Amino acid sequence: MRIINLLNENHVEHVDMDTLFIRLLGYSGWCNYRTRYATRRVESWNMKQNPPEKLKFIEDMAIVMMQLIQSQEDQRVIPIQLFLCMYEGEESCPSHHHDCRQATLSIGADRYMFVDNKKILLHHGDMVTLNGEQHGVPKCSERARMEPRASLNLFYTIPSEAATASVTPRLSKRRLPTPNCRKERKT
């Protein structure tokens, strides 16, 4: 696990990050996603294709994320999916892991994330890179942390892993939702 702050390390201008967050707050394409113990709003982009027109506004940040990920890897990075989440109030994401690598960019209010049972406070602009670690976003009970937070979760692999295993952003033997929905999904 690595954490870098894209703002503090001057990879992104504050105005660009803030503008992206405002666009995400006003985005009308979110799907309600509910598991047994958690809810949040989600959207996704299959990165084997160009972004859908409605998500073009996210493309520049995805490129920055890819460049930073590539600078940390000794092999070419192969993007799989960009999965967006929006958390407000007590919305959360249960603990889980994936069979591929991921980078999660936190935008908006500070929010806790668990990574391998370690509680980490993510700030606006923090990007966490994971490689199969158990992780999740707990329900928020602190008033100050109940403000909206978005995450851009970029799932990727490298050639040596892609050649030897089935690498997808699977979640507990289920595929992540590919939201093109207008109704609530239940799992």
Side-chain angles (χ1 to χ4, degrees):
M1 174 187 67
R2 296 180 210 147
I3 302 174
I4 61 170
N5 188 286
L6 276 61
L7 298 169
N8 295 344
E9 297 190 21
N10 298 316
H11 296 288
V12 176
E13 297 290 326
H14 283 268
V15 67
D16 295 330
M17 185 77 70
D18 296 344
T19 300
L20 176 59
F21 184 56
I22 290 167
R23 298 273 314 263
L24 289 168
L25 284 172
Y27 180 64
S28 63
W30 293 111
C31 296
N32 291 323
Y33 184 65
R34 185 176 296 201
T35 64
R36 187 178 303 169
Y37 302 107
T39 62
R40 63 193 182 280
R41 290 176 289 151
V42 300
E43 175 63 282
S44 70
W45 161 22
N46 175 347
M47 296 187 80
K48 293 176 184 170
Q49 304 164 357
N50 290 327
E53 193 60 39
K54 64 184 180 176
L55 291 177
K56 285 272 190 195
F57 72 95
I58 216 94
E59 188 173 24
D60 288 344
M61 192 61 69
I63 290 168
V64 170
M65 291 175 71
M66 281 295 299
Q67 290 170 342
L68 287 169
I69 294 164
Q70 186 61 67
S71 73
Q72 297 173 358
E73 298 289 348
D74 59 358
Q75 295 183 47
R76 179 178 55 90
V77 170
I78 304 167
I80 300 169
Q81 179 185 43
L82 186 67
F83 192 72
L84 293 76
C85 297
M86 177 64 73
Y87 302 92
E88 293 189 67
E90 294 183 357
E91 291 178 327
S92 61
C93 176
S95 186
H96 62 282
H97 69 278
H98 305 280
D99 63 1
C100 64
R101 298 171 187 231
Q102 86 180 71
T104 294
L105 175 61
S106 182
I107 304 174
D110 293 353
R111 193 77 185 252
Y112 286 106
M113 178 179 192
F114 281 102
V115 177
D116 283 343
N117 294 318
K118 181 179 176 187
K119 192 175 185 180
I120 300 163
L121 181 61
L122 295 179
H123 306 284
H124 185 58
D126 281 348
M127 186 173 87
V128 181
T129 53
L130 303 173
N131 187 6
E133 291 94 338
Q134 191 80 13
H135 61 281
V137 177
K139 286 187 178 182
C140 187
S141 59
E142 298 174 45
R143 192 103 178 105
R145 305 218 191 286
M146 293 179 91
E147 295 299 316
R149 172 199 175 242
S151 65
L152 279 59
N153 304 281
L154 199 155
F155 296 101
Y156 66 99
T157 191
I158 55 176
S160 62
E161 292 172 355
T164 60
S166 171
V167 181
T168 63
R170 290 183 189 266
L171 172 66
S172 303
K173 299 184 180 174
R174 294 179 288 146
R175 287 194 179 273
L176 284 169
T178 52
N180 56 1
C181 64
R182 292 294 166 248
K183 63 181 183 176
E184 199 167 272
R185 292 178 180 247
K186 294 186 178 187
T187 58

